[in-house]
Amino acid sequence: MSSFGDLLTQHAEKNPKGISVVYGSRIISWKELNDRINRLANALHDLGVRKGEKGIVMLHNCPEFVESTCALQKLGAIPSPMNYKFAPREIEYQTNHSDSVVFLTENLWLKNVKEAMPKMPKVKHYICSGKSEDMLNYEELIEKYPPKEIEEKVDVNDVCALPYTGGTTGMPKGVVHTYYEFIKHFEGILGFLLKHPPDIPNIGQITFNSVDEIKQVFNTLLEPGFLCVPPLF
């Protein structure tokens, strides 16, 4: 195992009908999740996104956040989760500071994103979940591309995510996380669980825009369980 993408592929092959994500009444199997991630990854690759490049993920608690994050990671690209409550100047700052070339969002936040767009020249493509006249449609891209696996080598020392600090004492700063760091994080959790085994399967729960939610995705891939995505709050 070297990345989230490898784990997703393994789960889809060995436990295709197993539950991966629960979102309200929607239940997503490992095969369905992996297929959708592969489709999006192939779409992003066709748009020119390559290993080492960054992409903003500005989505609320939803399966699309998991899909967007993992699709970028399967390419060896680096997701930079963004707080969907950001004002236009904050959107502009993180996008430009991270050198992001693609921006994945949803129509709930279009007003602020569109206000910031003219000042984000490095972004080549905007992808929107929901209706938007001047952005690529998220579901249409997934429907258009095949679920074939991405043949990109991702190493444990590669950068996994680029979240930003809260900026309470100054401007937010990007924090680089590698896959190796996440593996060590899990080893610590595993050591605790071996000493204190739980009575129920692992149920990961994500919140928005932080590295913790990416860790929950990773923990769910490594432990026997599923990811519970609470609705927008």
Side-chain angles (χ1 to χ4, degrees):
M1 188 282 297
S2 60
S3 70
F4 293 2
D6 294 337
L7 288 169
L8 278 166
T9 301
Q10 291 173 22
H11 278 291
E13 292 175 349
K14 297 179 180 179
N15 188 25
K17 295 182 180 180
I19 298 173
S20 64
V21 176
V22 174
Y23 181 62
S25 61
R26 183 179 173 190
I27 298 176
I28 303 171
S29 70
W30 285 107
K31 184 179 187 306
E32 180 186 355
L33 179 66
N34 190 57
D35 282 354
R36 285 178 60 86
I37 288 170
N38 284 342
R39 290 176 184 274
L40 182 57
N42 280 295
L44 291 170
H45 186 271
D46 198 40
L47 291 172
V49 179
R50 296 294 183 266
K51 183 176 181 178
E53 293 186 315
K54 292 92 171 181
I56 294 293
V57 180
M58 186 185 182
L59 294 156
H60 78 281
N61 292 351
C62 58
E64 288 77 12
F65 173 86
V66 180
E67 294 168 357
S68 298
T69 298
C70 292
L72 287 165
Q73 291 170 332
K74 279 207 174 192
L75 291 170
I78 304 163
S80 183
M82 178 179 285
N83 189 334
Y84 57 69
K85 296 181 180 179
F86 271 2
R89 66 179 183 83
E90 295 169 313
I91 294 172
E92 173 194 340
Y93 172 79
Q94 181 176 333
T95 304
N96 290 336
H97 190 267
S98 64
D99 295 323
S100 291
V101 298
V102 64
F103 197 111
L104 296 104
T105 188
E106 57 193 318
N107 58 357
L108 292 173
W109 325 120
L110 285 183
K111 180 178 182 297
N112 286 345
V113 174
K114 286 186 176 182
E115 187 174 330
M117 282 173 63
K119 298 180 181 180
M120 302 189 298
K122 296 177 184 178
V123 178
K124 300 175 183 177
H125 301 285
Y126 290 88
I127 300 172
C128 180
S129 177
K131 293 182 179 180
S132 174
E133 296 180 357
D134 48 2
M135 294 185 183
L136 296 170
N137 183 270
Y138 186 94
E139 286 298 329
E140 288 179 0
L141 284 176
I142 285 180
E143 292 175 4
K144 180 180 178 181
Y145 287 84
K148 68 177 182 179
E149 292 290 341
I150 297 294
E151 297 181 0
E152 182 66 60
K153 181 175 175 55
V154 181
D155 187 79
V156 291
N157 294 314
D158 287 336
V159 177
C160 166
L162 184 65
Y164 272 66
T165 61
T168 53
T169 59
M171 295 301 290
K173 300 174 181 63
V175 182
V176 176
H177 292 274
T178 65
Y179 290 99
Y180 179 79
E181 176 188 338
F182 279 82
I183 293 171
K184 289 301 178 183
H185 167 78
F186 171 74
E187 288 177 353
I189 294 176
L190 181 60
F192 176 82
L193 291 176
L194 289 173
K195 294 181 180 179
H196 310 280
D199 295 328
I200 60 174
N202 173 53
I203 302 176
Q205 177 173 305
I206 67 170
T207 53
F208 64 85
N209 77 276
S210 72
V211 71
D212 289 332
E213 65 190 346
I214 298 178
K215 287 181 179 179
Q216 286 290 2
V217 174
F218 188 57
N219 291 343
T220 305
L221 288 169
L222 287 168
E223 300 174 41
F226 58 88
L227 186 66
C228 180
V229 183
L232 178 65
F233 57 90

